[in-house]
């Protein structure tokens, strides 16, 4: 692991003290993480659910909505991404959406029960100017609706992170994607340390960090464990940890990868819950390929946030009515909106 990865730290949004009996650590070894990940599945899920209930007593699930505000045309070469301009995936490059259009979508999501609205732009990095000013206006508008506002816009400068915070941004998503060792096999246009530097700037600006990864990209078990270890060994754990299963897209280098097995997804979520007990662990991309029982098992393992709606950026996501019916059948209540986030 790089020196930067080892020294990654943050200053903002320290979590409340953990409940009695729950230990929060920042010094995990790879062997320790692997030992957790490879426990008998039911033992692992039991451990994770026990910790989950100690921290999240009400056991509610946060509903999040994700909108692609600028689709396609990205100059990066992320091997999993249909929005990369260099791959022929059928995703057309589009202009940044207009502010009223985005806020109309946010209003609809709010009415459907979302308490967090995430805006994603297919940029390598944020550029100052009219487009960034529009994003700031979107953030202010989403917060005015009483929702958490999250954005994922690529790399940020310190001044841009500060401006997003001043606009009211609740969280910034910038995934590590995979382990430092496997990273070079997936992306060459941005380094692992570039990602860590952006996360440091987000932290220093006082914005919550949303940071996770993707499984199913040809990585080893050690790669999965080292991704989780990198996240958990930060001085401040990410408040939000999205766990994504690769959705293979024709035209991308990873198009022929096999679908992630449910057991692997459950193991990853449960391990994330044990390593970062106070984080919101988000069941993200790949959920459309799961049946209801698989999704419920992921929630039993510690996932307490779902992205709902027709699309998760450019890959399909279960229909809203299906999501609501699943939660109702399982007796799972959604988290209510909070104005203070």
């Amino acid at each position: 692991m790089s020196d930067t990865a080892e020294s990654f730290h943050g200053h903002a949004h320290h979590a409340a003290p953990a409940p009695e009996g729950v230990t929060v650590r920042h010094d995990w070894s790879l062997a320790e993480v692997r030992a957790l990940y490879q426990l008998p599945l039911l033992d692992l899920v039991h451990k994770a659910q026990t910790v989950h209930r100690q921290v999240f007593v009400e056991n509610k699930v946060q509903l999040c909505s994700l909108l692609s505000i600028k689709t396609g045309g990205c100059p990066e070469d992320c091997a999993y991404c249909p929005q990369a301009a260099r791959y022929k995936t059928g995703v057309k490059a589009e202009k940044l959406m207009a502010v009223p259009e985005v806020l109309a979508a946010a209003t609809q999501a709010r009415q459907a029960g979302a308490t967090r609205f995430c805006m994603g732009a297919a940029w390598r990095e944020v550029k100052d100017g009219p487009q960034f000013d529009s994003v700031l206006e979107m953030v202010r508008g989403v917060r005015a609706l009483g929702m958490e506002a999250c954005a994922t816009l690529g790399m940020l400068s310190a001044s841009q992170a500060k401006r997003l915070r001043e606009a009211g941004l609740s969280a910034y998503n910038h995934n590590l994607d995979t382990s430092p060792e496997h990273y070079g096999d997936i992306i060459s246009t941005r380094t692992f340390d570039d990602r860590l530097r952006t996360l440091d700037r987000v932290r220093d600006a006082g914005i919550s960090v949303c940071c996770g990864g993707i499984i199913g990209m040809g990585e080893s078990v050690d790669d999965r464990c080292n991704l989780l270890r990198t996240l958990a060994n930060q001085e401040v754990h990410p408040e939000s940890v999205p766990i994504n299963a690769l959705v293979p897209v024709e035209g991308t280098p990873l198009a022929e990868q096999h679908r992630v097995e449910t057991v692997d997804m459950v193991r990853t979520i449960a391990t994330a819950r044990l390593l970062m007990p106070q984080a919101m662990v988000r069941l993200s991309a790949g959920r459309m390929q799961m049946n209801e029982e698989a999704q419920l098992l992921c929630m039993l393992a510690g996932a307490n946030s779902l992205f709902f709606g027709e699309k998760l950026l450019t890959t399909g996501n279960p229909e809203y009515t299906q999501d609501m019916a699943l939660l109702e059948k399982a007796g799972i209540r959604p988290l209510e909106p909070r104005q203070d986030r």
Side-chain angles (χ1 to χ4, degrees), residues 63-76:
L63 300 179
C64 308
S65 182
L66 176 58
L67 178 68
S68 180
I69 60 173
K70 164 59 180 80
T71 302
C74 183
E76 303 264 44

Side-chain angles (χ1 to χ4, degrees), residues 11-313:
H11 307 293
H13 294 272
H14 286 273
E20 187 176 351
V22 175
T23 302
V24 177
R25 290 179 51 189
H26 306 267
D27 60 350
W28 293 91
S29 70
L30 178 58
E32 288 176 311
V33 177
R34 191 193 310 115
L36 284 177
Y37 184 92
Q38 294 180 325
L39 282 170
L41 184 67
L42 298 185
D43 292 347
L44 175 59
V45 171
H46 176 68
K47 280 180 175 288
Q49 176 63 194
T50 300
V51 168
H52 179 80
R53 287 300 185 97
Q54 288 176 280
V55 177
F56 298 95
V57 178
E58 292 184 323
N59 196 33
K60 294 181 179 180
V61 170
Q62 184 180 36
L63 300 179
C64 308
S65 182
L66 176 58
L67 178 68
S68 180
I69 60 173
K70 164 59 180 80
T71 302
C74 183
E76 303 264 44
D77 68 351
C78 306
Y80 53 82
C81 186
Q83 301 201 68
R86 66 191 69 203
Y87 306 138
K88 295 180 180 179
T89 63
V91 174
K92 296 180 180 179
E94 299 176 1
K95 294 181 179 178
L96 181 70
M97 292 175 65
V99 174
E101 192 177 1
V102 172
L103 296 184
T107 300
Q108 185 177 12
R110 175 68 183 83
Q111 291 170 346
T115 60
R116 187 181 184 101
F117 190 75
C118 306
M119 296 164 281
W123 292 329
R124 167 180 162 77
E125 58 197 343
V126 176
K127 290 182 171 60
D128 291 320
Q131 288 193 321
F132 186 48
D133 293 340
S134 291
V135 172
L136 297 175
E137 191 175 345
M138 293 172 194
V139 170
R140 287 189 286 266
V142 170
R143 291 308 307 273
L145 293 170
M147 305 171 75
E148 297 177 22
C150 179
T152 177
L153 313 168
M155 293 185 288
L156 292 177
S157 68
S159 64
Q160 289 164 343
K162 182 174 182 290
R163 291 179 68 193
L164 284 167
R165 179 70 180 95
E166 290 169 348
L169 190 71
S170 312
Y172 195 81
N173 169 257
H174 201 63
N175 290 334
L176 296 182
D177 289 342
T178 189
S179 71
E181 293 76 16
H182 188 55
Y183 185 88
D185 295 331
I186 304 300
I187 305 160
S188 70
T189 50
R190 189 192 322 181
T191 69
F192 197 82
D193 286 352
D194 284 336
R195 292 182 182 266
L196 295 175
R197 277 189 286 271
T198 290
L199 292 175
D200 262 338
R201 289 165 187 157
V202 169
R203 277 280 183 217
D204 289 342
I207 300 170
S208 290
V209 165
C210 176
C211 186
I214 307 169
I215 67 171
M217 299 194 295
E219 74 282 351
S220 66
V221 168
D222 273 2
D223 286 321
R224 289 179 190 173
C225 292
N226 221 4
L227 165 66
L228 295 175
R229 173 180 175 265
T230 302
L231 294 169
N233 280 358
Q234 297 170 20
E235 183 181 319
V236 179
H237 289 165
E239 290 80 9
S240 172
V241 181
I243 302 297
N244 299 275
L246 176 71
V247 179
V249 176
E250 186 176 349
T252 64
L254 297 179
E256 302 304 317
Q257 286 291 321
H258 294 297
R259 185 176 71 85
V260 172
E261 293 188 7
T262 296
V263 168
D264 293 333
M265 193 69 169
V266 171
R267 285 189 180 281
T268 305
I269 287 171
T271 305
R273 170 55 65 218
L274 291 169
L275 297 180
M276 294 165 280
Q278 295 171 286
M280 298 293 290
V281 177
R282 305 189 187 276
L283 179 55
S284 302
R287 192 160 67 87
M288 192 173 183
Q289 284 71 41
M290 296 181 181
N291 61 26
E292 290 186 345
E293 291 77 14
Q295 294 180 58
L296 289 172
L297 189 53
C298 287
M299 285 184 255
L300 185 66
N304 58 345
S305 177
L306 301 177
F307 283 96
F308 75 87
E310 293 182 359
K311 288 204 170 184
L312 190 60
L313 289 183

Side-chain angles (χ1 to χ4, degrees), residues 310-332:
E310 293 182 359
K311 288 204 170 184
L312 190 60
L313 289 183
T314 55
T315 58
N317 204 42
E319 293 286 348
Y320 170 74
T321 52
Q322 290 177 303
D323 291 338
M324 295 304 102
L326 172 60
L327 295 180
E328 186 175 352
K329 279 190 288 187
I332 297 172

